[in-house]
């Protein structure tokens, strides 16, 4: 049902919990329908599917090309599937260390094979199956994003640069020692967010920043949910304090954040006014959200 979003949420993990409740709970009105279709590979990355949006809001999936398979770039050592600290082999895409000079080039990204230690207390290790690609990732590689990891900051390698990627999905490979925050088990399908570092085949992440993927969702849908969904939640709930019956203006309603914003506003029975850029996007919004036209 509706109700108030409540006070400002104190942490990203709380936003994740709210996103899960709103979009993944059985009593929630219809979830966003994200459709994926095959497309030629952009980056060879093991079992990872790279997600990106087309000009009309369609979701595309990019999987490794056969050339990558022939060149032996597909699978690394999965590591032992148990708790522990032994290292696993992974393959990661790095943006060059000098990409922050506003002359970055995505063609200069390089694939590196490296060892990653087991998860420490409070972490899990995930074998990545899909990665969401956002404007922030593109801008960071081109040197246009100030939040990109810099020398001396976590996630930055002086010799290689940084690993792009803010959202991912995959299966739990290992669980670090200590309390299991979400009662996750090895083999669970999960989706999560990270401060860069997702464009890899294996990632260690905080347990509180991942959630199980709904049973009816694909890995691609899970990877495309987190950043845009959390952005919409943060704007409507943490900042605007959306309440039942409010009126909401959603700019670019056919886009990723706009689509989530509309669904969240509908959950709160809000009156929705949205703008789109062209007739095709108007038809997408009308068909997807059953909005009335004026």
């Amino acid at each position: 049902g509706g109700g108030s979003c409540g006070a400002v949420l104190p942490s990203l993990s709380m936003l994740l919990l709210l996103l899960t409740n709103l979009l993944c709970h059985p009593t929630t009105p219809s979830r966003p329908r994200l459709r994926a279709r095959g497309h030629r590979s952009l980056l060879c990355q093991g079992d990872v599917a790279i997600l990106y949006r087309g000009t009309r809001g369609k979701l595309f999936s990019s999987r490794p090309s056969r050339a990558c398979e022939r060149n032996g770039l597909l699978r690394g050592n999965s590591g032992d599937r148990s708790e522990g600290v032994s290292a696993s082999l992974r393959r990661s895409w790095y943006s060059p260390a000098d990409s922050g000079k506003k002359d970055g080039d995505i063609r200069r990204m390089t694939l590196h094979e490296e060892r990653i230690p087991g998860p420490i207390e409070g972490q899990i290790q995930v074998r990545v199956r899909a990665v969401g690609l956002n404007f922030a990732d593109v801008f960071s590689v081109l040197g246009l994003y100030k939040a990109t990891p810099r020398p001396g900051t976590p996630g930055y390698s002086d010799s290689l640069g940084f690993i792009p990627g803010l959202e991912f999905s995959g299966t739990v490979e290992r669980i670090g020692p200590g309390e299991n925050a979400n009662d996750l088990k090895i083999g669970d399908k999960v989706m999560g967010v990270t401060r860069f570092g997702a464009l890899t085949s294996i990632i260690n992440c905080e347990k509180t920043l991942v959630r199980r993927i709904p049973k009816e969702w694909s890995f691609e849908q899970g990877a495309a949910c987190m950043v845009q969904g959390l952005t919409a939640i943060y704007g409507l709930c943490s900042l605007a304090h959306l309440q039942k019956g409010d009126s909401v203006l959603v700019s670019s309603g056919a886009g990723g954040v706009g689509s989530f914003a509309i669904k969240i506003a509908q959950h709160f029975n809000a009156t929705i006014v949205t703008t789109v850029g062209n007739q095709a996007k108007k038809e997408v919004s009308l068909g997807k959200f059953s909005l009335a036209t004026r």
Side-chain angles (χ1 to χ4, degrees):
S4 172
C5 281
V8 175
L9 300 176
S11 67
L12 182 56
S13 60
M14 288 292 292
L15 286 172
L16 273 167
L17 180 61
L18 183 53
L19 175 65
T20 303
N21 290 338
L22 287 175
L23 300 181
C24 306
H25 195 277
T27 60
T28 299
S30 59
R31 285 175 285 274
R33 297 296 179 181
L34 304 175
R35 300 184 179 275
R37 74 183 190 187
H39 199 272
R40 67 184 181 85
S41 177
L42 293 180
L43 299 171
C44 306
Q45 179 50 61
D47 295 326
V48 177
I50 301 170
L51 278 293
Y52 60 99
R53 288 190 177 276
T55 56
R56 295 189 178 182
K58 292 183 179 180
L59 184 69
F60 296 90
S61 171
S62 177
R63 292 192 175 277
S65 66
R66 292 186 177 180
C68 297
E69 185 173 7
R70 288 195 301 268
N71 292 333
L73 296 178
L74 285 187
R75 293 185 181 273
N77 183 354
S78 63
D80 66 57
R81 291 173 173 268
S82 62
E83 297 184 11
V85 295
S86 59
S88 296
L89 188 67
R90 73 173 184 176
R91 292 182 171 89
S92 306
W93 281 97
Y94 279 88
S95 182
D98 62 351
S99 64
K101 297 180 179 179
K102 297 187 178 180
D103 59 353
D105 188 338
I106 193 171
R107 291 171 295 184
R108 296 176 59 203
M109 292 181 65
T110 53
L111 182 64
H112 288 268
E113 188 173 279
E114 58 190 2
R115 292 281 178 177
I116 180 173
I120 61 175
E121 184 173 358
Q123 291 185 336
I124 62 170
Q125 188 171 95
V126 176
R127 177 163 292 277
V128 179
R129 293 291 302 275
V131 175
L133 182 63
N134 296 279
F135 278 122
D137 297 304
V138 177
F139 288 170
S140 66
V141 171
L142 297 179
L144 302 174
Y145 192 51
K146 293 183 178 180
T148 301
R150 303 292 182 185
T153 63
Y156 188 91
S157 166
D158 290 336
S159 60
L160 298 174
F162 69 96
I163 303 174
L166 302 171
E167 58 185 345
F168 63 91
S169 66
T171 55
V172 177
E173 288 268 303
R174 297 180 180 180
I175 299 174
E179 181 182 357
N180 191 348
N182 299 326
D183 296 321
L184 295 171
K185 302 184 298 296
I186 293 174
D188 280 351
K189 294 171 58 178
V190 295
M191 54 188 182
V193 289
T194 181
R195 182 75 169 182
F196 294 98
L199 202 55
T200 184
S201 58
I202 299 177
I203 186 172
N204 290 335
C205 53
E206 300 299 319
K207 297 175 185 177
T208 54
L209 299 185
V210 298
R211 290 293 184 272
R212 286 188 181 89
I213 297 177
K215 292 182 179 179
E216 65 271 29
W217 283 23
S218 66
F219 284 113
E220 290 84 354
Q221 288 172 309
C225 166
M226 304 301 284
V227 169
Q228 296 169 0
L230 288 171
T231 300
I233 285 281
Y234 180 71
L236 289 176
C237 298
S238 292
L239 299 182
H241 305 291
L242 178 64
Q243 297 185 33
K244 182 177 180 180
D246 281 351
S247 296
V248 178
L249 171 62
V250 179
S251 179
S252 301
V257 174
S259 296
F260 276 102
I262 290 174
K263 295 302 295 185
I264 293 167
Q266 287 180 331
H267 179 86
F268 285 92
N269 297 319
T271 299
I272 302 167
V273 178
T274 185
T275 63
V276 293
N278 55 48
Q279 183 63 31
K281 292 180 179 180
K282 176 180 178 181
E283 294 173 359
V284 168
S285 293
L286 292 176
K288 184 187 298 184
F289 304 116
S290 301
L291 300 176
T293 181
R294 292 184 181 179

